[in-house]
Amino acid sequence: MTTVTIEAGGRKVEVSNADKVLFPGDGITKRHLAEYYAKVAPTALPHYRDRPLTLQRFPDGIGTDGFFQKNAPDHFPDWVARAEVAKADGTVTHAMANEAAVLVYLADQGCITLHLALARADTPRYPDRMIFDLDPSDDDFGKVQEVARAVKQALDARGLPSFVQTTGSRGLHIVLSLDASADVD
């Protein structure tokens, strides 16, 4: 088992089992994922900052069943920001990626996909984004691209700021910015 230390945002984060292959078809290891997260952090963090995360973890790689995790475990370091969000029968304490080191740490946890809340932690009932989630019904990605262009053009024609984002799977998201003035209801 190889452990490496990756510096991200002024913190040194240990990545254990760094040679563990997470993407068998491409030979991408945990180390590769952690280094990638550190590299894209300057671009990604403005989107992640102050948003509760739902983590999609694949500790044994994408060839096995992964799982979703909402609650930030007690073993997460203190420097991983957390947000307590109300739910029907209590609360959930989500992790938040407010700094580059958190992205690297989550890669060490086998977290491949980070699902962002539509609202910031301090205003959980007032979303500042809306997602059009486009996934193909078959293997034809061209269909997704065509619909994404049509949705983007319709939003642009109405003066609604949006952008296209790849998903963790095989689709696209059209992200529409909202002003967080309306309650989710």
Side-chain angles (χ1 to χ4, degrees):
M1 290 191 271
T2 305
T3 297
V4 298
T5 301
I6 297 176
E7 187 167 334
R11 289 192 194 275
K12 293 181 178 183
V13 182
E14 284 193 0
V15 177
S16 63
N17 300 322
D19 296 329
K20 181 183 269 187
V21 176
L22 296 178
F23 294 84
D26 300 307
I28 297 172
T29 65
K30 218 165 47 157
R31 177 187 193 150
H32 294 135
L33 182 64
E35 289 172 342
Y36 173 76
Y37 280 178
K39 184 177 181 177
V40 301
T43 301
L45 286 175
H47 298 279
Y48 288 122
R49 192 167 281 115
D50 297 325
R51 291 188 187 279
L53 298 174
T54 297
L55 311 176
Q56 189 172 11
R57 296 178 55 193
F58 294 87
D60 295 315
I62 63 168
T64 62
D65 287 337
F67 62 93
F68 286 91
Q69 179 176 357
K70 290 184 179 183
N71 274 308
D74 291 339
H75 70 267
F76 275 22
D78 291 343
W79 46 264
V80 175
R82 291 162 173 82
E84 194 169 303
V85 179
K87 65 176 193 167
D89 59 347
T91 61
V92 176
T93 302
H94 293 266
M96 294 190 295
N98 288 349
E99 58 179 279
V102 175
L103 296 176
V104 173
Y105 180 79
L106 293 175
D108 180 53
Q109 300 297 302
C111 182
I112 293 176
T113 309
L114 291 78
H115 298 271
L116 306 173
L118 298 176
R120 305 254 175 205
D122 61 343
T123 56
R125 295 203 42 86
Y126 293 86
D128 62 356
R129 58 173 42 187
M130 180 172 146
I131 306 284
F132 293 87
D133 187 1
L134 308 174
D135 292 308
S137 57
D138 53 28
D139 290 332
D140 186 359
F141 188 65
K143 292 177 191 175
V144 174
Q145 293 171 306
E146 183 180 336
V147 173
R149 276 191 287 276
V151 171
K152 177 77 171 109
Q153 288 170 356
L155 294 170
D156 288 348
R158 289 164 178 79
L160 299 171
S162 64
F163 60 90
V164 178
Q165 186 178 50
T166 59
T167 67
S169 182
R170 54 193 192 116
L172 294 173
H173 285 170
I174 308 294
V175 182
L176 173 64
S177 297
L178 303 175
D179 64 9
S181 64
D183 185 278
V184 292
D185 293 333

